[in-house]
Amino acid sequence: MSQEVSYVYFVPGLAADVSIFEYIKLPEDKFVTKMLPWKIPFKEESIEDYAKRMCDDVEHKKCVLIGVSFGGIIVQEMSKYLEVEKLIIVSSVKNKFELPKRMKIARKTKVYKLLPTSLVSKIDDWEKLAFGDFAKKRAAMYQKYLSVSNKEYLDWAIEKMVCWDQEETIEGLIHIHGDKDIVFPITNIENCITVDKGTHVMIVNRARWFNKHLPEIINDNLH
């Protein structure tokens, strides 16, 4: 008996290229993987309207959406306009209460508006933005994957992440999180599948874990 394949759409993290998923390999007889690169937002575009535009590239009903970091927020917004079979977020947050304290402070003070995003193509400036573990030893890795340096996109994405307003967690959402995530510390996270020693970039450096466990996580309770 032939088994239907699942269509799995991946959305990368803030400023990241879809190449962050280059090591994710799911069994091709069961899964068809599609990548959704970032679009440049329109001036003052709402996160809802942006999510609708991202949905334009989703060609299959009852698909699986997987988003990393800010991409996890975007797939949650996209799921409000799609018939989704499974919604999975990685290294992300399920609601505004899981955002770390520094982002909540940034929202109140609007300090995020002062970030030098026009200089972001230089890897040193990523360390200054400091939404996470941008250590110099990883500079080459970030230079490779953080290739979306459009200022309009960065200004928009940082504001939308810091100011995300979702209060209720979406029913059925699956959250995979590393216990060494510095961007979104696990102390703020509830109800997740915990990856031991997983960092914020574990989709890249712990790809083996995902290749082993994602098929069963996706297939669990699928009809």
Side-chain angles (χ1 to χ4, degrees):
M1 192 170 76
S2 65
Q3 184 183 354
E4 269 189 61
V5 299
S6 296
Y7 292 91
V8 186
Y9 287 83
F10 289 89
V11 178
L14 194 152
D17 184 74
V18 293
S19 62
I20 66 165
F21 302 114
E22 65 180 332
Y23 303 119
I24 302 299
K25 308 290 182 195
L26 303 179
E28 291 180 8
D29 58 329
K30 297 189 176 108
F31 304 99
V32 176
T33 58
K34 306 272 187 180
M35 305 300 156
L36 296 176
W38 292 113
K39 298 174 183 285
I40 303 305
F42 299 136
K43 192 172 173 62
E44 297 181 11
E45 185 172 19
S46 69
I47 196 169
E48 293 83 7
D49 287 345
Y50 186 88
K52 285 178 191 171
R53 284 206 295 131
M54 290 289 281
C55 290
D56 290 343
D57 295 334
V58 175
E59 300 168 348
H60 304 90
K61 288 187 176 177
K62 293 202 167 180
C63 63
V64 177
L65 288 181
I66 300 180
V68 174
S69 191
F70 180 58
I73 289 174
I74 292 297
V75 296
Q76 289 176 73
E77 293 295 331
M78 290 171 66
S79 75
K80 297 168 185 176
Y81 309 104
L82 296 169
E83 201 177 339
V84 175
E85 191 77 67
K86 260 295 167 43
L87 180 60
I88 301 171
I89 65 171
V90 177
S91 309
S92 190
V93 294
K94 299 183 286 295
N95 53 62
K96 70 178 187 179
F97 306 111
E98 292 187 338
L99 289 168
K101 189 175 180 183
R102 68 180 175 279
M103 289 192 193
K104 291 174 182 173
I105 292 169
R107 174 179 181 154
K108 279 185 182 171
T109 60
K110 295 192 168 19
V111 70
Y112 58 85
K113 291 180 181 289
L114 304 176
L115 293 171
T117 49
S118 59
L119 306 175
V120 87
S121 56
K122 300 186 182 71
I123 197 66
D124 289 344
D125 290 287
W126 274 104
E127 293 166 36
K128 288 173 196 158
L129 285 183
F131 275 142
D133 50 354
F134 296 101
K136 280 185 181 167
K137 63 181 179 177
R138 295 188 182 171
M141 177 177 161
Y142 283 99
Q143 197 114 41
K144 176 180 179 183
Y145 294 116
L146 296 176
S147 60
V148 185
S149 56
N150 177 279
K151 181 174 172 14
E152 285 73 26
Y153 162 79
L154 291 167
D155 287 343
W156 179 88
I158 290 169
E159 178 176 8
K160 297 307 175 199
M161 181 171 69
V162 170
C163 299
W164 194 45
D165 252 341
Q166 181 159 288
E167 295 190 356
E168 297 289 327
T169 297
I170 294 172
E171 191 177 346
L173 171 70
I174 295 165
H175 188 170
I176 304 172
H177 211 83
D179 62 3
K180 297 287 186 273
D181 193 314
I182 298 175
V183 179
F184 298 121
I186 200 164
T187 49
N188 301 322
I189 305 297
E190 294 184 355
N191 303 323
C192 68
I193 298 168
T194 304
V195 178
D196 186 44
K197 297 185 177 65
T199 67
H200 195 64
V201 294
M202 63 184 182
I203 196 71
V204 176
N205 59 23
R206 296 294 299 279
R208 270 193 214 163
W209 187 96
F210 288 93
N211 290 340
K212 180 180 178 182
H213 295 286
L214 268 183
E216 62 195 55
I217 290 169
I218 292 171
N219 279 326
D220 185 39
N221 298 327
L222 279 190
H223 304 300

